[in-house]
Amino acid sequence: MSEWWTYRLEDFLLFSPRVYWRMFELANAASWPLHLLTLAAGLAIVLLVLRRPRRHGLWIALVLAAFFAFVGWSFLWNRYAVIDWAIAYVAPVFGLQAPLLAFGGARGSLAFNRRDIAGRLGLLIAVAGLVVYPLLPPLFGRPWASAEVFGIAPDPTAIVALGVLLAASGGPVPLLFAIPLLWLLISGLTLHAMGDPQAWLPLLAAATTAAALALRRIAR
Amino acid sequence: MIITRRTFVKAAAASGAALVLSAAAPGAPPAPVMRAVPSSGEMLPAVGLGTWITFNVGDDPVLRDECAEVMAAFFAAGGRMIDSSPMYGSSQPVIGYGLEKLSRPEALFSAEKVWISSAADGPAQIEQSRRFWGVPRFDLVQVHNLVAWETHLETLFAMKAVGQIRYVGITTSEGRRHDLFEQIMSAHPLDFVQLTYNVVDRGAEERLLPLAAERGMGVIVNRPFRQGALTRQLQGEALPDWAAVIGAKTWAQFILKFIVSHPSVTVAIPATTRVDHVRENLMAATGPLPDAAMRERMAAYVRDL
């Protein structure tokens, strides 16, 4: 790209805020009542992290993997990439989180057993992604129909994943942070370019996760 | 390229026909002022329709219908040129949807772009764009933002030679790469150039607009409202009393009249999602237009706000 320094973030925005939020409305209408299942699965993940029954690592990894694959295909590829050609390159990366999680879970190397400050903060982040995120529309003057729900929309899916990963240990865990963090950065910058007041939320979730990881490293 | 007598006579005849048509339809909206394409004399209304962001609505059925309504109002008000690009997300299939819904208006002047870094893939991209629009051929294909411009221009001139397209052009926006743009204009027989020009972005006046006139190239003006930022900025300000002299009732009309009154400008292509705005835009190309002195006054007024 020539004269790249003359481009602003807004120059890369291909759609209007109205089209962006209508995309969530249409996705919600098309997938309802799947939301009940995804939310129940999200709560089950949190319970599994708290109770840690046998093979909990495998089940958490498989459920998260299923939702990364589903959101990457149904939302990012089938909807978002239609209005933003760049997302056609991002969607497969988002979906790549699914085999990474499944691989980590299947190897039996994932355990959600950290109860340090970062781990507890992670659980708070996960609950916020699960419960608070769908409640945001009226706070930002949008209709309920545009709610972002875990397992249906990418931001809460990435936030819940980061939250529970903060409570995880095992071989591939550091690698598993990369894709959700990258997604939240992209999403936050997109919302910022749209002038949307919600832009700080995905960025805050990513920054809090990064800070928690740094804190854990320092404490070590 | 020189405007020949034949070209001039064709243009004058078409202008006369436009006036007759306008006079023959009492109660119909006044016809927009027409501009001749320098290389052919074909007459085009001085205001067209851009689709950047506004027509990128994906598969949303409600928003697709709204775009079709904008297109219907555009054609009803006498508009012809619709401009798009493969870069604009789903805008091309949305235009195709609108054209199908409107039973393919004969007035359409289709302006597209080729935008792909692999020059060898240019023809395939143009063909894909044509299918999205559902037109037998494009009137104009432009090299978008000078991407792989040398090979794409070869392709476009070859397509023009065999009648697969009617006109060839290049585009830039927001004042980027004007030096290279000027070099290409000087070296190649382009029919159109597309660039950014408005009451506050006047860089094109220095070299590009005079060169377009000298070389007989049509000028398409993009981002007339700076993607809406300019009209939003002026929203709280009162129009000067003397705006009535040129028939400008809104800031959008004030800005469009400034643009289309430049002697080198052929068509301005504002984009909108609103039927009332598309009518307002077309109305800007009717009635009196500012002369050179008034244009300077307009620019000074906006600058001093």
Side-chain angles (χ1 to χ4, degrees):
Chain A
M1 183 164 45
S2 63
E3 299 188 7
W4 54 267
W5 61 89
T6 64
Y7 287 85
R8 296 152 299 167
L9 200 54
E10 302 91 281
D11 292 329
F12 299 96
L13 198 63
L14 303 181
F15 45 81
S16 67
R18 185 181 179 214
V19 169
Y20 179 81
W21 291 117
R22 286 264 313 163
M23 183 171 61
F24 289 90
E25 291 182 36
L26 293 175
N28 285 335
S31 52
W32 178 258
L34 193 59
H35 305 65
L36 302 176
L37 175 72
T38 63
L39 286 172
L43 287 172
I45 286 174
V46 173
L47 285 175
L48 285 171
V49 173
L50 290 173
R51 299 275 178 93
R52 280 180 286 160
R54 201 170 68 87
R55 306 192 75 180
H56 71 280
L58 172 66
W59 288 110
I60 292 171
L62 287 181
V63 172
L64 283 175
F67 288 137
F68 267 90
F70 178 70
V71 172
W73 170 75
S74 72
F75 189 89
L76 296 181
W77 184 263
N78 284 340
R79 293 186 184 276
Y80 204 165
V82 175
I83 60 165
D84 189 340
W85 46 265
I87 298 298
Y89 299 96
V90 176
V93 177
F94 193 91
L96 181 64
Q97 182 79 352
L100 290 176
L101 279 162
F103 179 69
R107 277 183 65 200
S109 56
L110 277 178
F112 293 80
N113 53 4
R114 288 183 183 262
R115 290 295 179 270
D116 57 358
I117 294 176
R120 288 169 196 275
L121 187 60
L123 282 178
L124 273 179
I125 291 172
V127 171
L130 205 56
V131 179
V132 179
Y133 236 77
L135 304 176
L136 293 176
L139 296 177
F140 292 98
R142 290 188 279 110
W144 278 110
S146 67
E148 295 168 89
V149 177
F150 168 75
I152 306 288
D155 285 19
T157 304
I159 289 171
V160 171
L162 287 178
V164 295
L165 284 171
L166 278 172
S169 62
V173 166
L175 182 68
L176 294 175
F177 282 97
I179 290 172
L181 281 173
L182 178 68
W183 171 258
L184 290 178
L185 185 65
I186 292 171
S187 183
L189 292 176
T190 302
L191 289 164
H192 177 71
M194 282 164 49
D196 195 296
Q198 197 179 307
W200 62 272
L201 277 171
L203 295 176
L204 178 69
T208 307
T209 303
L213 287 171
L215 192 69
R216 176 178 284 159
R217 201 175 178 83
I218 292 165
R220 217 184 283 162
Chain B
M1 191 175 291
I2 296 165
I3 297 177
T4 61
R5 182 175 174 275
R6 187 178 169 194
T7 304
F8 177 80
V9 169
K10 274 165 69 181
S15 298
L19 285 172
V20 169
L21 282 173
S22 172
V33 65
M34 306 293 274
R35 293 274 188 254
V37 178
S39 65
S40 69
E42 179 178 3
M43 300 303 289
L44 290 174
V47 171
L49 182 64
T51 57
W52 167 240
I53 293 185
T54 51
F55 272 48
N56 183 19
V57 299
D59 300 324
D60 191 320
V62 173
L63 301 186
R64 277 184 164 225
D65 281 339
E66 286 184 10
C67 289
E69 285 168 22
V70 166
M71 290 169 69
F74 173 71
F75 288 118
R80 287 195 62 196
M81 180 188 282
I82 296 180
D83 176 87
S84 192
S85 167
M87 185 198 171
Y88 299 174
S90 59
S91 294
Q92 294 175 317
V94 171
I95 291 170
Y97 172 81
L99 291 175
E100 184 68 33
K101 197 169 179 187
L102 300 175
S103 305
R104 312 222 158 262
E106 286 182 14
L108 172 69
F109 183 99
S110 51
E112 251 300 338
K113 303 187 189 81
V114 57
W115 177 72
I116 192 160
S117 54
S118 162
D121 293 334
Q125 188 184 62
I126 295 166
E127 175 57 17
Q128 178 63 65
S129 301
R130 189 194 66 74
R131 285 186 190 158
F132 279 138
W133 282 60
V135 293
R137 65 173 179 173
F138 286 120
D139 292 300
L140 163 64
V141 179
Q142 307 148 93
V143 181
H144 192 150
N145 285 347
L146 307 183
V147 172
W149 64 271
E150 285 165 299
T151 325
H152 284 325
L153 271 188
E154 277 177 29
T155 301
L156 296 183
F157 282 123
M159 290 178 75
K160 182 184 173 186
V162 296
Q164 290 177 331
I165 58 174
R166 296 173 62 216
Y167 301 108
V168 174
I170 56 173
T171 80
T172 185
S173 64
E174 299 184 74
R176 294 189 183 104
R177 303 179 85 184
H178 275 195
D179 288 343
L180 176 59
F181 208 76
E182 186 180 353
Q183 285 172 30
I184 300 169
M185 287 174 71
S186 299
H188 297 275
L190 303 168
D191 300 296
F192 282 95
V193 292
Q194 184 178 140
L195 44 80
T196 298
Y197 175 62
N198 58 54
V199 72
V200 288
D201 297 310
R202 300 180 66 187
E205 286 178 353
E206 292 170 18
R207 302 193 315 267
L208 298 188
L209 291 178
L211 183 59
E214 181 191 320
R215 299 271 296 150
M217 296 171 182
V219 175
I220 300 169
V221 172
N222 59 35
R223 297 175 65 91
F225 306 135
R226 282 185 164 182
Q227 208 178 311
L230 188 55
T231 39
R232 282 194 296 275
Q233 184 187 334
L234 295 169
Q235 210 167 22
E237 307 286 348
L239 270 174
D241 293 341
W242 44 264
V245 174
I246 53 167
K249 294 175 182 163
T250 64
W251 278 114
Q253 291 183 340
F254 184 96
I255 295 163
L256 284 174
K257 279 178 179 285
F258 175 88
I259 295 168
V260 301
S261 61
H262 191 289
S264 297
V265 169
T266 312
V267 186
I269 48 168
T272 181
T273 56
R274 286 175 50 174
V275 165
D276 58 333
H277 282 177
V278 84
R279 290 185 182 129
E280 181 186 333
N281 292 342
L282 264 299
M283 281 296 288
T286 66
L289 291 175
D291 59 15
M294 177 62 94
R295 297 181 81 254
E296 287 308 317
R297 190 180 184 188
M298 295 165 83
Y301 185 83
V302 172
R303 188 175 59 238
D304 294 341
L305 281 174

